[in-house]
Amino acid sequence: MSEELPVWIEWLRALAVPAIAFGGLVIACANLWLGIKRRADDLFDRRYALFQDAQYFAQFTSNPEGGKSENFVLRAPSELEAQAAFLFDRTFSQHLRRYLEGVRRGDFIVGVEAELFQLFHSRMK
């Protein structure tokens, strides 16, 4: 009393599990790729926020009245240096430290800001 199924249904049954597994693999690879891109974007956002805070510190230190706004929070240079050591390599942290020390002393080192900007953009590639 057992009926035999057509051959094409047998083939469909045999290929269904690998097809579903392949679809899962495609979704997993897409998730991995998106996770890597998201991590890179988050790292860029954190690095850019640090860079922007260093610029705000320099602007506020050189002109205390011109840099004030209602939601402006001046971060401590030591906090910026510690975060730079965590987010960037040693070269960038040393340049940032040199830049912030020059800003604190009041003598702006010519070219250091441009050098810092170039270093920042070279790390973003």
Side-chain angles (χ1 to χ4, degrees):
M1 293 234 150
S2 75
E3 267 184 50
E4 211 170 293
L5 294 172
V7 175
W8 64 274
I9 292 180
E10 293 288 332
W11 275 94
L12 279 177
R13 284 177 53 189
L15 294 176
V17 172
I20 292 171
F22 181 74
L25 179 66
V26 168
I27 291 172
C29 288
N31 270 342
L32 177 66
W33 182 77
L34 285 174
I36 290 170
K37 291 294 181 185
R38 181 173 178 215
R39 195 173 108 193
D41 286 347
D42 290 346
L43 182 61
F44 175 81
D45 291 342
R46 291 176 66 192
R47 285 178 169 178
Y48 188 73
L50 172 76
F51 182 73
Q52 200 171 28
D53 287 345
Q55 285 184 325
Y56 287 152
F57 176 78
Q59 289 172 356
F60 183 79
T61 308
S62 63
N63 184 7
E65 295 303 317
K68 288 185 180 177
S69 71
E70 291 177 13
N71 56 0
F72 177 73
V73 176
L74 186 63
R75 290 174 53 190
S78 59
E79 183 184 342
L80 294 175
E81 291 171 12
Q83 193 173 10
F86 180 72
L87 292 174
F88 292 98
D89 60 353
R90 181 174 290 167
T91 307
F92 187 84
S93 327
Q94 289 171 347
H95 277 78
L96 182 65
R97 183 176 297 117
R98 224 173 76 201
Y99 175 68
L100 293 175
E101 285 173 0
V103 168
R104 276 183 257 168
R105 285 193 308 262
D107 57 335
F108 292 95
I109 304 168
V110 177
V112 173
E113 185 172 0
E115 205 174 301
L116 192 65
F117 186 74
Q118 287 174 348
L119 269 173
F120 175 74
H121 282 286
S122 70
R123 301 299 187 272
M124 295 299 108
K125 293 179 182 177

